[in-house]
Amino acid sequence: MRDSLLWCGLAAVPTVVLMAATSHLTANIAPVPMLWVLPLVIYLLTFILCFESARWYRRWLFLPLMALLTPLLIACTTFPSLMPRGIVWPTLLFSASIFTFCMACHGELARLKPQPAQLTGYYLVIATGGAIGGIFTGLLAPRMFNDDYELTLSCIAAVCIVGAACHHRPAEPMKRGARVKAAVFFTTLVGVLWGANAIWPAIPTIKARNFYGTVKIKDTEPGPSQVRQLTHGTIVHGRQFLEAQKRRWPTSYYGNNSGAGIAIAASRDGAAQHVGVIGLGAGTMAAYCRPGDVYRFYEINPLVLDFAESYFSFLRDCPARKDIALGDARLVLGAEAPQQFDVLAVDAFSGDSVPVHLLTTEAFNIYFRHLKRDGVLAIHISNRYLDMAPVVRRAADTFHRTAFLSQNKSDSVRGTTAATWVLIGQREKLLQYAGLHELPPAPDVRPWTDDYSSLLEIMK
């Protein structure tokens, strides 16, 4: 019975590690096949290595690596700013973690392989364990937890299950050291749990999770500059001052000197303004509303809409007419009659994940169909891992439009954050604003379409 439980656990835990790490990669870098396939290849490779020969798995190597990677992985997922910029380091860290934890679990699983007469039950239990891990990650965890705890829990579970396997069947030459190894693993586990407890007060008290990810609300310390912050994944999606005199200030990536603010100013001519916004966030763009204006927001995540209406007042304070369309913005816009927007702002990132389908030539064709002839298309491209300016430039070239780069600095007094936008509109309208410059040609980047996109060309 003990063997069967260990077989099941050693098969289930690496499945959770694989799925949780893949989810984190695709949510915070890009939902592209490369980042789906790479973790799966590593996972299958560990199976092949461990069951092909006992020479590939060495406890003296993989057990210390687990002890090292567990707190490192938890720290980097809890505090993303610790991760170096660029796509390479997070991919390497998660790939190394998947390989290490899966090698340890599959290595112990291979060590516990029974006599040939029991192999049928052995492989059946392994298959059952893999199914349990998949069901837990895909179906149970999103309903049980209000945050992405699977990766942390799977790391701790791997330490526990591998430690139990080592104690259950220690290597012959090291039998006397079994208790020492168990103590090392227990100490590591306690340290991880202590670290999680230490950062627990910093975790927002208001958070919820659904199919589209985890949404969190966090308030800074009370005071004249108290700010409420909305986070989706690992990225801030809006801030609002709670002081009455400041709560209508456009903050975060949408300040007056940002690309969003310039797009609004450049398209105002005294008449009522029609603005489209892809990606609601906290509703910060509504800070620019005036009586008579029409603002239409497109948001795919109903949880974001609920949080924006319940915990922020940008939408409530807006004197303009507001329409909110729930669903994938590209599909909704594709089915609508031309809206004749003066401004269409595209800011639909969750984490640092690139919404590839919103940056293709076909998507830009939809955007320009809904813009007035002299309207401004504003694309938010701030990203820690990828430089998307060349992609937007190539899309603008396809439609014979001019693209300008806007980069603003942070301003803690105004609550704004450094942001990079690309504005596509009439040259004479945009050149009058300081800080804008035309994007250089990007001949080495192939235009993205629904059939082609490549992150390798735009990695930082």
Side-chain angles (χ1 to χ4, degrees):
M1 182 64 180
R2 183 181 301 177
D3 283 346
S4 296
L5 291 176
L6 282 174
W7 297 342
C8 187
L10 289 168
V13 170
T15 303
V16 179
V17 171
L18 167 68
M19 296 179 67
T22 303
S23 175
H24 188 89
L25 280 172
T26 54
N28 293 289
I29 298 180
V32 295
M34 180 183 73
L35 296 181
W36 296 330
V37 173
L38 179 61
L40 180 59
V41 168
I42 295 172
Y43 171 84
L44 295 176
L45 178 63
T46 63
F47 249 125
I48 294 170
L49 293 177
C50 292
F51 281 84
E52 186 271 335
S53 171
R55 70 179 185 272
W56 298 109
Y57 172 61
R58 293 289 184 265
R59 283 177 174 173
W60 63 265
L61 174 61
F62 287 98
L63 271 58
L65 281 176
M66 289 180 68
L68 174 66
L69 286 172
T70 299
L72 179 62
L73 198 62
I74 293 174
C76 288
T77 52
T78 305
F79 305 103
S81 58
L82 297 176
M83 187 73 71
R85 295 181 66 87
I87 193 174
V88 175
W89 288 108
T91 304
L92 284 177
L93 173 62
F94 280 89
S95 297
S97 299
I98 294 170
F99 182 76
T100 300
F101 288 112
C102 290
M103 277 294 291
C105 290
H106 292 156
E108 294 300 330
L109 190 58
R111 278 178 177 268
L112 294 174
K113 186 166 63 175
Q115 298 298 318
Q118 297 178 283
L119 284 180
T120 301
Y122 172 72
Y123 289 121
L124 180 61
V125 171
I126 289 176
T128 303
I132 290 173
I135 291 171
F136 171 79
T137 310
L139 298 179
L140 298 181
R143 290 167 173 79
M144 293 169 57
F145 306 137
N146 63 355
D147 206 343
D148 301 309
Y149 297 126
E150 298 94 289
L151 189 57
T152 298
L153 291 177
S154 64
C155 291
I156 297 173
V159 171
C160 291
I161 196 72
V162 171
C166 290
H167 187 271
H168 178 64
R169 187 173 294 181
E172 289 301 323
M174 300 177 64
K175 185 173 271 188
R176 294 182 179 179
R179 293 184 179 180
V180 175
K181 288 184 290 185
V184 170
F185 273 95
F186 179 76
T187 303
T188 302
L189 176 60
V190 170
V192 170
L193 292 176
W194 177 85
N197 183 69
I199 64 172
W200 190 261
I203 297 178
T205 55
I206 303 173
K207 52 187 172 181
R209 176 180 176 181
N210 63 5
F211 172 81
Y212 298 102
T214 302
V215 182
K216 309 173 188 178
I217 300 289
K218 180 180 179 180
D219 292 350
T220 60
E221 293 297 325
S225 297
Q226 186 179 18
V227 173
R228 175 164 294 168
Q229 178 172 291
L230 173 71
T231 305
H232 190 188
T234 60
I235 299 298
V236 173
H237 277 245
R239 293 189 180 102
Q240 183 175 32
F241 286 106
L242 298 185
E243 186 180 357
Q245 295 178 345
K246 299 179 180 179
R247 72 179 188 180
R248 287 212 62 197
W249 287 8
T251 56
S252 60
Y253 312 106
Y254 314 101
N256 292 300
N257 62 337
S258 70
I262 292 172
I264 292 291
S267 59
R268 279 182 173 169
D269 56 9
Q273 195 173 32
H274 193 187
V275 177
V277 182
I278 297 177
L280 174 64
T284 314
M285 283 292 289
Y288 290 104
C289 289
R290 302 173 304 175
D293 289 345
V294 178
Y295 275 63
R296 184 167 176 78
F297 294 90
Y298 298 86
E299 176 56 53
I300 194 172
N301 190 347
L303 190 57
V304 170
L305 172 60
D306 180 54
F307 274 41
E309 291 181 331
S310 301
Y311 300 106
F312 297 87
S313 65
F314 288 118
L315 294 176
R316 292 195 303 272
D317 293 341
C318 174
R321 195 188 90 193
K322 302 177 294 294
D323 298 318
I324 299 176
L326 273 176
D328 186 291
R330 178 171 166 180
L331 296 179
V332 176
L333 283 167
E336 290 180 342
Q339 293 288 325
Q340 293 295 297
F341 290 125
D342 295 293
V343 176
L344 178 58
V346 181
D347 181 20
F349 292 78
S350 59
D352 267 320
S353 178
V354 178
V356 173
H357 73 297
L358 297 180
L359 295 175
T360 63
T361 301
E362 293 84 353
F364 276 80
N365 183 54
I366 295 174
Y367 302 152
F368 290 128
R369 182 169 68 85
H370 285 279
L371 271 174
K372 290 181 178 178
R373 189 174 185 83
D374 60 347
V376 179
L377 177 63
I379 312 289
H380 188 198
I381 63 167
S382 301
N383 197 283
R384 290 178 294 179
Y385 308 121
L386 306 168
D387 177 15
M388 290 175 288
V391 175
V392 180
R393 169 62 197 256
R394 290 308 305 271
D397 290 344
T398 301
F399 295 94
H400 308 289
R401 307 280 184 129
T402 306
F404 295 88
L405 186 68
S406 168
Q407 293 178 301
N408 65 278
K409 296 180 179 180
S410 299
D411 184 345
S412 58
V413 175
R414 300 292 302 182
T416 57
T417 307
T420 304
W421 292 75
V422 175
L423 306 184
I424 303 174
Q426 292 185 338
R427 180 186 298 270
E428 59 274 12
K429 267 191 171 184
L430 296 176
L431 280 181
Q432 60 182 308
Y433 292 93
L436 292 185
H437 63 271
E438 188 173 346
L439 278 176
D444 297 331
V445 175
R446 180 177 164 185
W448 285 10
T449 66
D450 288 346
D451 298 322
Y452 172 83
S453 62
S454 174
L455 298 182
L456 297 178
E457 298 174 334
I458 60 172
M459 289 194 305
K460 290 183 177 179

